[in-house]
Amino acid sequence: MYTETEIIKDNTDLGPDGELVVNMGPQHPATHGVLHLVVTLNGETIKKIEPHLGYIHRSIEKMCESLTYRQFIYVTSRMDYLSSHINNTACALLVEKGMQIEVPERAKVVRTILNELTRIASHELWIGAMAMDLGAFTPFFYAFREREMITDIMEDTCGARLTMNYIVPGGLMYDIHPDFQTKVKAFVKQFKEKVTEYEDLVTGNVIFQSRTKGVGVLTAEDAISYGCTGPVARASGVRCDIRKIDPYDAYDRVEFDEVIETAGDSFARYMVRVKEMNQSIRIIEQLIDQIPEGDFVGKTKNVLKLAKGEFYQRVETARGELGVYIVSEGATTPHRIKFRSPGFSNLSVLDHIAKGSKIGDLMATMGTLDLVIPDIDR
Amino acid sequence: MFLKDYISDVVNGVSSLLKGMRKTGYYFTHSKEIITEQYPDNRATLKLADRFKGEVVMPHDENNEHTCTGCTACELACPNGTIKIITKFDITPEGKKKKAIDAFIYRLEMCTLCNLCVAACPSDAIKMAPNFEHSVFDRSKLTKILNKPGSKIKEGIE
């Protein structure tokens, strides 16, 4: 039995300068996935953050090396599961580039629409989860109402809600559902009406603003040197949208703005994603009536073999730049495959921008980085 | 100056909170606009999409005939070895040997529902079914034999 004084004595094993080490996760309810952060604190001020990775490592890169060029696409849905369509597109584009497969126009346009729907769904989930991290529970349900419409569209056309595996080298696995266009139009209409609700609930909220403005500031130089991409870098004023720099599929024929904010704080990252959703809606509106008739999949050989050499393809996922790099020895399976995932680079900046801030601000900083742990660990 | 800032902060803060509360109040009084699926109470009326990928099934017609030739295209297309086809040789009425499937073994617990086997099938023998309630107490129940007992291949399918 401890006496009262002994308990106090036991709990004072602080470091030399009064440091306290706090483990955040893997079971912490506010973290996404199973990220384990070892936070060194001095009082309430953060001195150091060390992310411990590997809890959800499945060796996807090695797995892909034993699968053929048709089979390895489905594995990439499990990396960044919130933008699985875009991951699949990256792999399919690379195989098409390596084998010079002609992709029909219909497939290109449908892919672009589905990619943008995925991006909206991902940002919707992020808004809900991030607001929940900051203590607001209601926006989660509002965001999921619109996201549910997108998952319904995905379920109709692709047959799955999250890990679609709808994109194959050469086009699409099967044709779009007959109701696809009407459903997407209904979604666009509803989204435009309801997006103001997020503005009322979250953007204008005084508590949300004071918790995010000026918190976790990332400068443009740091964003570039840490390799940040996507909304994280664009909130710091770095132009890095692959859809603009290196257009793929049907992005070269649509008009949209690359959303740039200059403040670099958590609120700017939030605003970039909200505005990006509106740009995605703009892209969908331009394409939904222009889906050309014709084949949905191009002519491919029965057995796909990439020529000897190195191939690289990058796309813009909801979180940033995803790069797929394949070294081929001319066989039916890749010799070496490497994924450059946006989440890993975005996480590596966390220690830099959260250092010196209070532990309460860490939730806002981490939430707005939009970390998906399976994407970081792979 | 300080007092002015303080008062405007309070007024702006309260008005922004009321704006959010108005939305909450709106949905509190308009309960019909809330969409919630009452699963599992709505099992009888639950309608899943036709293409929903729940599990692989082999459709049989009224004569207990399927269209699987046992070509193992699905077995080769499967990324995780979910499907195993055991073939046998039937004797046709003319006295010739003919290849047919003995057992189409499907391991649901290993399946990632990627649809590659269905896409690879040349004779449309298998398809995806929208059943999703797969939980059982014993894992061995998830290993299924898809061809029904006594079934045979349809006439004219090579």
Short mmCIF file of all heavy atoms in Angstrom, two decimals, chain A residues 67 70-71 74 78 138 142 145 155-160 164-165 173-177 194 197 200-201 204-207, chain B residues 9 12-13 16-17 19-20 22-24 27 33 35 48-53 76-80 112 114-116 119:
data_model
loop_
_atom_site.label_atom_id
_atom_site.label_comp_id
_atom_site.label_asym_id
_atom_site.label_seq_id
_atom_site.Cartn_x
_atom_site.Cartn_y
_atom_site.Cartn_z
N LEU A 67 2.76 -9.54 -58.09
CA LEU A 67 1.48 -9.56 -58.79
C LEU A 67 1.66 -9.02 -60.20
O LEU A 67 2.55 -8.22 -60.47
CB LEU A 67 0.45 -8.70 -58.04
CG LEU A 67 0.12 -9.16 -56.62
CD1 LEU A 67 -0.76 -8.14 -55.94
CD2 LEU A 67 -0.58 -10.49 -56.66
N ARG A 70 -2.12 -6.39 -64.07
CA ARG A 70 -3.56 -6.24 -63.87
C ARG A 70 -3.92 -6.37 -62.40
O ARG A 70 -4.83 -5.74 -61.91
CB ARG A 70 -4.31 -7.31 -64.65
CG ARG A 70 -4.91 -6.84 -65.93
CD ARG A 70 -5.70 -7.96 -66.55
NE ARG A 70 -5.25 -8.23 -67.90
CZ ARG A 70 -5.53 -7.46 -68.93
NH1 ARG A 70 -6.25 -6.39 -68.77
NH2 ARG A 70 -5.10 -7.76 -70.13
N GLN A 71 -3.17 -7.24 -61.70
CA GLN A 71 -3.55 -7.56 -60.32
C GLN A 71 -3.08 -6.52 -59.32
O GLN A 71 -3.74 -6.32 -58.30
CB GLN A 71 -2.95 -8.92 -59.94
CG GLN A 71 -3.61 -10.09 -60.64
CD GLN A 71 -2.87 -11.38 -60.36
OE1 GLN A 71 -1.73 -11.37 -59.95
NE2 GLN A 71 -3.53 -12.50 -60.62
N TYR A 74 -5.36 -3.44 -57.52
CA TYR A 74 -6.32 -3.49 -56.41
C TYR A 74 -5.63 -3.25 -55.07
O TYR A 74 -6.25 -2.75 -54.14
CB TYR A 74 -7.05 -4.85 -56.41
CG TYR A 74 -6.45 -5.88 -55.49
CD1 TYR A 74 -6.94 -6.02 -54.19
CD2 TYR A 74 -5.38 -6.66 -55.88
CE1 TYR A 74 -6.37 -6.95 -53.33
CE2 TYR A 74 -4.83 -7.58 -55.04
CZ TYR A 74 -5.31 -7.72 -53.77
OH TYR A 74 -4.76 -8.60 -52.91
N ARG A 78 -5.75 0.03 -51.06
CA ARG A 78 -5.58 -0.10 -49.61
C ARG A 78 -4.52 0.82 -49.07
O ARG A 78 -4.23 0.79 -47.88
CB ARG A 78 -5.24 -1.54 -49.25
CG ARG A 78 -6.44 -2.42 -49.04
CD ARG A 78 -6.92 -3.01 -50.31
NE ARG A 78 -8.08 -3.87 -50.12
CZ ARG A 78 -8.88 -4.22 -51.10
NH1 ARG A 78 -8.67 -3.78 -52.33
NH2 ARG A 78 -9.91 -4.99 -50.88
N THR A 138 -21.04 17.96 -34.51
CA THR A 138 -22.12 18.06 -35.48
C THR A 138 -21.65 18.04 -36.94
O THR A 138 -22.25 17.35 -37.75
CB THR A 138 -22.97 19.30 -35.22
OG1 THR A 138 -23.00 19.53 -33.83
CG2 THR A 138 -24.36 19.15 -35.75
N TYR A 142 -23.14 16.32 -40.99
CA TYR A 142 -23.46 17.09 -42.19
C TYR A 142 -22.57 16.66 -43.35
O TYR A 142 -23.03 16.50 -44.48
CB TYR A 142 -23.30 18.59 -41.92
CG TYR A 142 -24.37 19.14 -41.03
CD1 TYR A 142 -24.25 19.04 -39.65
CD2 TYR A 142 -25.49 19.76 -41.54
CE1 TYR A 142 -25.22 19.52 -38.82
CE2 TYR A 142 -26.47 20.25 -40.71
CZ TYR A 142 -26.33 20.13 -39.35
OH TYR A 142 -27.30 20.60 -38.53
N ARG A 145 -23.49 13.30 -44.78
CA ARG A 145 -24.72 13.25 -45.58
C ARG A 145 -24.38 13.39 -47.07
O ARG A 145 -24.86 12.60 -47.88
CB ARG A 145 -25.65 14.40 -45.14
CG ARG A 145 -26.94 14.46 -45.88
CD ARG A 145 -27.69 15.70 -45.48
NE ARG A 145 -26.82 16.86 -45.62
CZ ARG A 145 -27.03 18.02 -45.00
NH1 ARG A 145 -28.06 18.16 -44.21
NH2 ARG A 145 -26.21 19.03 -45.17
N GLU A 155 -21.13 2.97 -55.42
CA GLU A 155 -21.69 1.63 -55.25
C GLU A 155 -22.44 1.21 -56.51
O GLU A 155 -22.35 0.06 -56.94
CB GLU A 155 -22.63 1.66 -54.05
CG GLU A 155 -22.79 0.34 -53.36
CD GLU A 155 -23.67 0.47 -52.15
OE1 GLU A 155 -23.81 1.58 -51.61
OE2 GLU A 155 -24.25 -0.54 -51.75
N ASP A 156 -23.17 2.16 -57.10
CA ASP A 156 -23.92 1.86 -58.31
C ASP A 156 -23.00 1.50 -59.46
O ASP A 156 -23.22 0.54 -60.18
CB ASP A 156 -24.76 3.08 -58.71
CG ASP A 156 -26.13 3.03 -58.09
OD1 ASP A 156 -26.44 2.01 -57.47
OD2 ASP A 156 -26.87 4.00 -58.22
N THR A 157 -21.97 2.33 -59.65
CA THR A 157 -21.15 2.19 -60.85
C THR A 157 -20.01 1.21 -60.65
O THR A 157 -19.76 0.37 -61.51
CB THR A 157 -20.60 3.58 -61.26
OG1 THR A 157 -21.70 4.38 -61.64
CG2 THR A 157 -19.65 3.47 -62.41
N CYS A 158 -19.33 1.28 -59.51
CA CYS A 158 -18.13 0.46 -59.32
C CYS A 158 -18.41 -0.80 -58.52
O CYS A 158 -17.62 -1.72 -58.55
CB CYS A 158 -17.05 1.25 -58.61
SG CYS A 158 -16.90 2.92 -59.18
N GLY A 159 -19.49 -0.83 -57.77
CA GLY A 159 -19.81 -2.03 -57.00
C GLY A 159 -19.22 -2.05 -55.62
O GLY A 159 -19.36 -3.04 -54.92
N ALA A 160 -18.53 -1.00 -55.22
CA ALA A 160 -17.98 -0.96 -53.86
C ALA A 160 -17.99 0.48 -53.39
O ALA A 160 -18.05 1.40 -54.19
CB ALA A 160 -16.58 -1.53 -53.82
N MET A 164 -12.61 0.53 -54.64
CA MET A 164 -13.42 0.31 -55.83
C MET A 164 -12.82 -0.69 -56.80
O MET A 164 -13.50 -1.56 -57.29
CB MET A 164 -13.64 1.63 -56.58
CG MET A 164 -14.73 2.46 -55.99
SD MET A 164 -14.21 3.17 -54.48
CE MET A 164 -13.97 4.83 -54.87
N ASN A 165 -11.52 -0.53 -57.13
CA ASN A 165 -10.87 -1.35 -58.15
C ASN A 165 -11.68 -1.33 -59.45
O ASN A 165 -12.04 -2.37 -60.00
CB ASN A 165 -10.68 -2.78 -57.66
CG ASN A 165 -9.75 -3.54 -58.56
OD1 ASN A 165 -8.80 -2.98 -59.07
ND2 ASN A 165 -10.03 -4.80 -58.79
N MET A 173 -13.32 -1.08 -65.84
CA MET A 173 -13.63 -2.50 -65.76
C MET A 173 -14.95 -2.82 -66.44
O MET A 173 -15.07 -3.80 -67.15
CB MET A 173 -13.67 -2.94 -64.31
CG MET A 173 -13.68 -4.44 -64.16
SD MET A 173 -13.44 -4.93 -62.48
CE MET A 173 -11.73 -5.31 -62.44
N TYR A 174 -15.98 -1.99 -66.21
CA TYR A 174 -17.21 -2.13 -66.97
C TYR A 174 -17.81 -0.75 -67.17
O TYR A 174 -17.34 0.23 -66.59
CB TYR A 174 -18.22 -3.08 -66.31
CG TYR A 174 -18.07 -3.26 -64.82
CD1 TYR A 174 -18.48 -2.28 -63.94
CD2 TYR A 174 -17.52 -4.43 -64.32
CE1 TYR A 174 -18.35 -2.45 -62.58
CE2 TYR A 174 -17.37 -4.60 -62.96
CZ TYR A 174 -17.79 -3.61 -62.10
OH TYR A 174 -17.64 -3.77 -60.75
N ASP A 175 -18.86 -0.68 -67.97
CA ASP A 175 -19.40 0.62 -68.32
C ASP A 175 -20.09 1.25 -67.12
O ASP A 175 -20.44 0.59 -66.16
CB ASP A 175 -20.39 0.47 -69.48
CG ASP A 175 -20.47 1.75 -70.29
OD1 ASP A 175 -19.81 2.73 -69.90
OD2 ASP A 175 -21.19 1.78 -71.30
N ILE A 176 -20.30 2.60 -67.21
CA ILE A 176 -20.95 3.29 -66.11
C ILE A 176 -22.41 2.85 -66.00
O ILE A 176 -23.01 2.39 -66.97
CB ILE A 176 -20.86 4.82 -66.26
CG1 ILE A 176 -21.37 5.26 -67.63
CG2 ILE A 176 -19.48 5.31 -65.99
CD1 ILE A 176 -21.54 6.74 -67.76
N HIS A 177 -22.96 3.03 -64.83
CA HIS A 177 -24.35 2.68 -64.57
C HIS A 177 -25.26 3.63 -65.37
O HIS A 177 -24.92 4.80 -65.53
CB HIS A 177 -24.63 2.82 -63.08
CG HIS A 177 -25.88 2.13 -62.63
ND1 HIS A 177 -27.07 2.79 -62.55
CD2 HIS A 177 -26.10 0.86 -62.24
CE1 HIS A 177 -27.99 1.93 -62.13
NE2 HIS A 177 -27.43 0.76 -61.93
N LYS A 194 -25.96 22.81 -50.00
CA LYS A 194 -25.63 22.51 -48.62
C LYS A 194 -24.25 22.96 -48.20
O LYS A 194 -23.93 22.95 -47.01
CB LYS A 194 -25.73 20.99 -48.39
CG LYS A 194 -27.06 20.40 -48.75
CD LYS A 194 -28.12 20.69 -47.70
CE LYS A 194 -29.40 19.98 -48.06
NZ LYS A 194 -30.46 20.14 -47.09
N GLU A 197 -23.83 25.37 -45.45
CA GLU A 197 -24.00 24.93 -44.06
C GLU A 197 -22.66 24.74 -43.37
O GLU A 197 -22.53 24.99 -42.18
CB GLU A 197 -24.80 23.62 -44.03
CG GLU A 197 -26.26 23.83 -44.31
CD GLU A 197 -27.06 22.55 -44.15
OE1 GLU A 197 -26.46 21.50 -43.93
OE2 GLU A 197 -28.29 22.64 -44.25
N ASP A 200 -21.48 28.11 -42.33
CA ASP A 200 -22.16 28.58 -41.11
C ASP A 200 -21.65 27.85 -39.89
O ASP A 200 -21.40 28.45 -38.84
CB ASP A 200 -23.67 28.36 -41.23
CG ASP A 200 -24.30 29.30 -42.23
OD1 ASP A 200 -23.58 30.22 -42.65
OD2 ASP A 200 -25.47 29.11 -42.58
N LEU A 201 -21.51 26.52 -40.04
CA LEU A 201 -21.20 25.71 -38.86
C LEU A 201 -19.74 25.81 -38.46
O LEU A 201 -19.42 25.92 -37.29
CB LEU A 201 -21.53 24.24 -39.14
CG LEU A 201 -22.93 23.75 -38.80
CD1 LEU A 201 -23.09 22.35 -39.33
CD2 LEU A 201 -23.17 23.75 -37.31
N GLY A 204 -17.26 30.03 -40.12
CA GLY A 204 -17.53 31.28 -39.42
C GLY A 204 -17.48 31.15 -37.91
O GLY A 204 -17.51 32.16 -37.21
N ASN A 205 -17.36 29.93 -37.42
CA ASN A 205 -17.44 29.72 -35.97
C ASN A 205 -16.24 30.35 -35.27
O ASN A 205 -15.10 30.12 -35.64
CB ASN A 205 -17.48 28.22 -35.69
CG ASN A 205 -17.76 27.91 -34.26
OD1 ASN A 205 -17.00 28.29 -33.39
ND2 ASN A 205 -18.86 27.23 -34.00
N VAL A 206 -16.52 31.12 -34.24
CA VAL A 206 -15.46 31.89 -33.59
C VAL A 206 -14.48 30.98 -32.86
O VAL A 206 -13.27 31.24 -32.83
CB VAL A 206 -16.08 32.97 -32.68
CG1 VAL A 206 -16.86 32.34 -31.54
CG2 VAL A 206 -15.01 33.89 -32.14
N ILE A 207 -14.98 29.89 -32.31
CA ILE A 207 -14.09 28.97 -31.59
C ILE A 207 -13.15 28.29 -32.57
O ILE A 207 -11.94 28.19 -32.36
CB ILE A 207 -14.91 27.91 -30.82
CG1 ILE A 207 -15.85 28.59 -29.82
CG2 ILE A 207 -14.01 26.94 -30.11
CD1 ILE A 207 -16.87 27.66 -29.22
N ASP B 9 -15.69 41.56 -30.06
CA ASP B 9 -15.36 40.14 -30.02
C ASP B 9 -16.53 39.33 -29.49
O ASP B 9 -16.89 38.29 -30.06
CB ASP B 9 -14.14 39.90 -29.11
CG ASP B 9 -12.86 39.84 -29.90
OD1 ASP B 9 -12.94 40.14 -31.11
OD2 ASP B 9 -11.81 39.51 -29.33
N ASN B 12 -19.47 39.39 -32.01
CA ASN B 12 -19.21 38.54 -33.18
C ASN B 12 -19.23 37.07 -32.81
O ASN B 12 -19.76 36.23 -33.53
CB ASN B 12 -17.85 38.87 -33.79
CG ASN B 12 -17.88 40.17 -34.55
OD1 ASN B 12 -18.95 40.58 -35.00
ND2 ASN B 12 -16.74 40.81 -34.67
N GLY B 13 -18.63 36.77 -31.65
CA GLY B 13 -18.60 35.39 -31.21
C GLY B 13 -19.98 34.83 -31.00
O GLY B 13 -20.32 33.76 -31.52
N SER B 16 -21.81 34.34 -34.30
CA SER B 16 -21.34 33.18 -35.10
C SER B 16 -21.84 31.88 -34.50
O SER B 16 -22.17 30.94 -35.21
CB SER B 16 -19.82 33.19 -35.20
OG SER B 16 -19.24 32.49 -34.14
N LEU B 17 -21.88 31.83 -33.16
CA LEU B 17 -22.38 30.62 -32.53
C LEU B 17 -23.87 30.44 -32.79
O LEU B 17 -24.34 29.34 -33.05
CB LEU B 17 -22.12 30.65 -31.02
CG LEU B 17 -20.65 30.53 -30.60
CD1 LEU B 17 -20.55 30.59 -29.10
CD2 LEU B 17 -20.04 29.25 -31.11
N LYS B 19 -25.48 31.47 -35.37
CA LYS B 19 -25.65 31.08 -36.77
C LYS B 19 -25.58 29.55 -36.89
O LYS B 19 -26.39 28.93 -37.57
CB LYS B 19 -24.53 31.71 -37.59
CG LYS B 19 -24.97 32.27 -38.91
CD LYS B 19 -23.75 32.93 -39.52
CE LYS B 19 -24.02 33.56 -40.83
NZ LYS B 19 -22.78 34.18 -41.34
N GLY B 20 -24.58 28.97 -36.20
CA GLY B 20 -24.46 27.52 -36.23
C GLY B 20 -25.62 26.85 -35.54
O GLY B 20 -26.15 25.85 -36.01
N ARG B 22 -28.58 27.91 -35.35
CA ARG B 22 -29.82 28.01 -36.15
C ARG B 22 -29.93 26.80 -37.07
O ARG B 22 -31.00 26.24 -37.28
CB ARG B 22 -29.79 29.29 -36.96
CG ARG B 22 -31.18 29.71 -37.42
CD ARG B 22 -31.14 31.04 -38.10
NE ARG B 22 -30.32 30.98 -39.30
CZ ARG B 22 -29.82 32.05 -39.89
NH1 ARG B 22 -30.02 33.25 -39.38
NH2 ARG B 22 -29.11 31.94 -40.98
N LYS B 23 -28.78 26.39 -37.67
CA LYS B 23 -28.78 25.20 -38.53
C LYS B 23 -29.20 23.97 -37.73
O LYS B 23 -30.02 23.17 -38.18
CB LYS B 23 -27.37 24.97 -39.09
CG LYS B 23 -27.08 25.69 -40.38
CD LYS B 23 -27.56 24.92 -41.56
CE LYS B 23 -28.58 25.55 -42.35
NZ LYS B 23 -28.90 26.55 -43.05
N THR B 24 -28.63 23.84 -36.52
CA THR B 24 -28.98 22.69 -35.69
C THR B 24 -30.47 22.70 -35.37
O THR B 24 -31.15 21.68 -35.45
CB THR B 24 -28.16 22.73 -34.40
OG1 THR B 24 -26.79 22.95 -34.74
CG2 THR B 24 -28.27 21.44 -33.64
N TYR B 27 -32.69 21.52 -38.36
CA TYR B 27 -32.83 20.08 -38.54
C TYR B 27 -33.54 19.42 -37.38
O TYR B 27 -34.11 18.35 -37.52
CB TYR B 27 -31.46 19.44 -38.77
CG TYR B 27 -30.99 19.69 -40.17
CD1 TYR B 27 -30.02 20.63 -40.45
CD2 TYR B 27 -31.56 19.00 -41.23
CE1 TYR B 27 -29.63 20.89 -41.73
CE2 TYR B 27 -31.17 19.25 -42.52
CZ TYR B 27 -30.21 20.19 -42.77
OH TYR B 27 -29.83 20.44 -44.05
N GLU B 33 -36.01 15.71 -43.13
CA GLU B 33 -34.85 15.91 -44.01
C GLU B 33 -33.64 15.11 -43.54
O GLU B 33 -32.61 15.10 -44.20
CB GLU B 33 -34.50 17.39 -44.08
CG GLU B 33 -35.54 18.17 -44.84
CD GLU B 33 -35.14 19.61 -45.06
OE1 GLU B 33 -33.93 19.87 -45.12
OE2 GLU B 33 -36.04 20.45 -45.15
N ILE B 35 -31.54 11.90 -43.04
CA ILE B 35 -31.53 10.59 -43.69
C ILE B 35 -30.69 9.65 -42.84
O ILE B 35 -29.49 9.78 -42.72
CB ILE B 35 -30.96 10.66 -45.12
CG1 ILE B 35 -29.79 11.64 -45.18
CG2 ILE B 35 -32.04 11.04 -46.10
CD1 ILE B 35 -28.89 11.39 -46.34
N LEU B 48 -29.70 -3.03 -52.11
CA LEU B 48 -28.32 -2.73 -52.46
C LEU B 48 -28.21 -2.56 -53.96
O LEU B 48 -29.07 -3.03 -54.72
CB LEU B 48 -27.40 -3.85 -51.99
CG LEU B 48 -27.06 -3.85 -50.51
CD1 LEU B 48 -26.48 -5.17 -50.11
CD2 LEU B 48 -26.11 -2.74 -50.17
N ALA B 49 -27.13 -1.91 -54.39
CA ALA B 49 -26.91 -1.71 -55.82
C ALA B 49 -26.74 -3.06 -56.50
O ALA B 49 -26.23 -4.02 -55.91
CB ALA B 49 -25.68 -0.86 -56.03
N ASP B 50 -27.16 -3.16 -57.77
CA ASP B 50 -27.08 -4.44 -58.49
C ASP B 50 -25.64 -4.90 -58.62
O ASP B 50 -25.36 -6.09 -58.63
CB ASP B 50 -27.66 -4.32 -59.91
CG ASP B 50 -28.76 -3.31 -60.00
OD1 ASP B 50 -29.49 -3.22 -59.00
OD2 ASP B 50 -28.89 -2.63 -61.03
N ARG B 51 -24.73 -3.94 -58.75
CA ARG B 51 -23.34 -4.32 -59.00
C ARG B 51 -22.56 -4.53 -57.72
O ARG B 51 -21.37 -4.79 -57.78
CB ARG B 51 -22.65 -3.20 -59.80
CG ARG B 51 -23.12 -3.12 -61.22
CD ARG B 51 -22.36 -2.05 -61.93
NE ARG B 51 -22.85 -1.85 -63.27
CZ ARG B 51 -22.38 -0.92 -64.09
NH1 ARG B 51 -21.44 -0.11 -63.68
NH2 ARG B 51 -22.86 -0.79 -65.29
N PHE B 52 -23.20 -4.39 -56.57
CA PHE B 52 -22.46 -4.46 -55.31
C PHE B 52 -21.68 -5.76 -55.20
O PHE B 52 -22.21 -6.84 -55.42
CB PHE B 52 -23.43 -4.32 -54.13
CG PHE B 52 -22.73 -4.28 -52.81
CD1 PHE B 52 -22.15 -3.11 -52.38
CD2 PHE B 52 -22.62 -5.40 -52.02
CE1 PHE B 52 -21.49 -3.05 -51.17
CE2 PHE B 52 -21.94 -5.35 -50.81
CZ PHE B 52 -21.38 -4.17 -50.39
N LYS B 53 -20.40 -5.63 -54.87
CA LYS B 53 -19.53 -6.79 -54.83
C LYS B 53 -19.51 -7.36 -53.42
O LYS B 53 -18.82 -6.85 -52.54
CB LYS B 53 -18.12 -6.40 -55.26
CG LYS B 53 -18.07 -5.92 -56.71
CD LYS B 53 -16.66 -5.68 -57.17
CE LYS B 53 -16.25 -4.26 -56.93
NZ LYS B 53 -15.04 -3.84 -57.63
N LEU B 76 -6.14 -18.03 -62.30
CA LEU B 76 -4.92 -17.31 -62.65
C LEU B 76 -5.07 -15.82 -62.42
O LEU B 76 -4.10 -15.14 -62.09
CB LEU B 76 -4.57 -17.58 -64.12
CG LEU B 76 -4.13 -19.00 -64.45
CD1 LEU B 76 -4.06 -19.18 -65.95
CD2 LEU B 76 -2.79 -19.30 -63.81
N ALA B 77 -6.29 -15.31 -62.60
CA ALA B 77 -6.49 -13.87 -62.46
C ALA B 77 -6.53 -13.44 -61.01
O ALA B 77 -6.29 -12.28 -60.70
CB ALA B 77 -7.78 -13.46 -63.16
N CYS B 78 -6.84 -14.36 -60.10
CA CYS B 78 -7.02 -13.99 -58.70
C CYS B 78 -5.68 -13.60 -58.07
O CYS B 78 -4.72 -14.35 -58.16
CB CYS B 78 -7.65 -15.14 -57.93
SG CYS B 78 -7.93 -14.72 -56.22
N PRO B 79 -5.60 -12.43 -57.43
CA PRO B 79 -4.32 -12.01 -56.85
C PRO B 79 -3.96 -12.73 -55.57
O PRO B 79 -2.79 -12.72 -55.18
CB PRO B 79 -4.50 -10.52 -56.60
CG PRO B 79 -5.90 -10.20 -56.92
CD PRO B 79 -6.64 -11.42 -57.29
N ASN B 80 -4.90 -13.32 -54.83
CA ASN B 80 -4.54 -13.93 -53.55
C ASN B 80 -4.90 -15.40 -53.42
O ASN B 80 -5.05 -15.89 -52.32
CB ASN B 80 -5.13 -13.17 -52.36
CG ASN B 80 -6.05 -12.08 -52.77
OD1 ASN B 80 -5.58 -11.01 -53.04
ND2 ASN B 80 -7.33 -12.33 -52.85
N THR B 112 -10.68 -10.41 -51.73
CA THR B 112 -10.72 -8.96 -51.57
C THR B 112 -11.79 -8.32 -52.44
O THR B 112 -11.85 -7.11 -52.53
CB THR B 112 -9.36 -8.34 -51.91
OG1 THR B 112 -8.96 -8.84 -53.17
CG2 THR B 112 -8.34 -8.65 -50.88
N CYS B 114 -12.22 -7.98 -55.66
CA CYS B 114 -11.68 -7.06 -56.66
C CYS B 114 -12.32 -7.25 -58.02
O CYS B 114 -12.06 -6.48 -58.93
CB CYS B 114 -10.18 -7.25 -56.77
SG CYS B 114 -9.70 -8.87 -57.36
N ASN B 115 -13.11 -8.28 -58.22
CA ASN B 115 -13.86 -8.49 -59.46
C ASN B 115 -12.99 -8.97 -60.62
O ASN B 115 -13.47 -9.06 -61.75
CB ASN B 115 -14.60 -7.20 -59.86
CG ASN B 115 -15.83 -7.48 -60.68
OD1 ASN B 115 -16.57 -8.40 -60.40
ND2 ASN B 115 -16.06 -6.69 -61.70
N LEU B 116 -11.71 -9.27 -60.39
CA LEU B 116 -10.85 -9.66 -61.51
C LEU B 116 -11.21 -11.03 -62.05
O LEU B 116 -11.09 -11.29 -63.24
CB LEU B 116 -9.38 -9.65 -61.06
CG LEU B 116 -8.75 -8.27 -60.89
CD1 LEU B 116 -7.39 -8.39 -60.25
CD2 LEU B 116 -8.64 -7.55 -62.21
N ALA B 119 -14.20 -10.63 -64.32
CA ALA B 119 -13.81 -10.00 -65.58
C ALA B 119 -13.04 -10.98 -66.46
O ALA B 119 -13.10 -10.88 -67.68
CB ALA B 119 -12.96 -8.77 -65.29
#
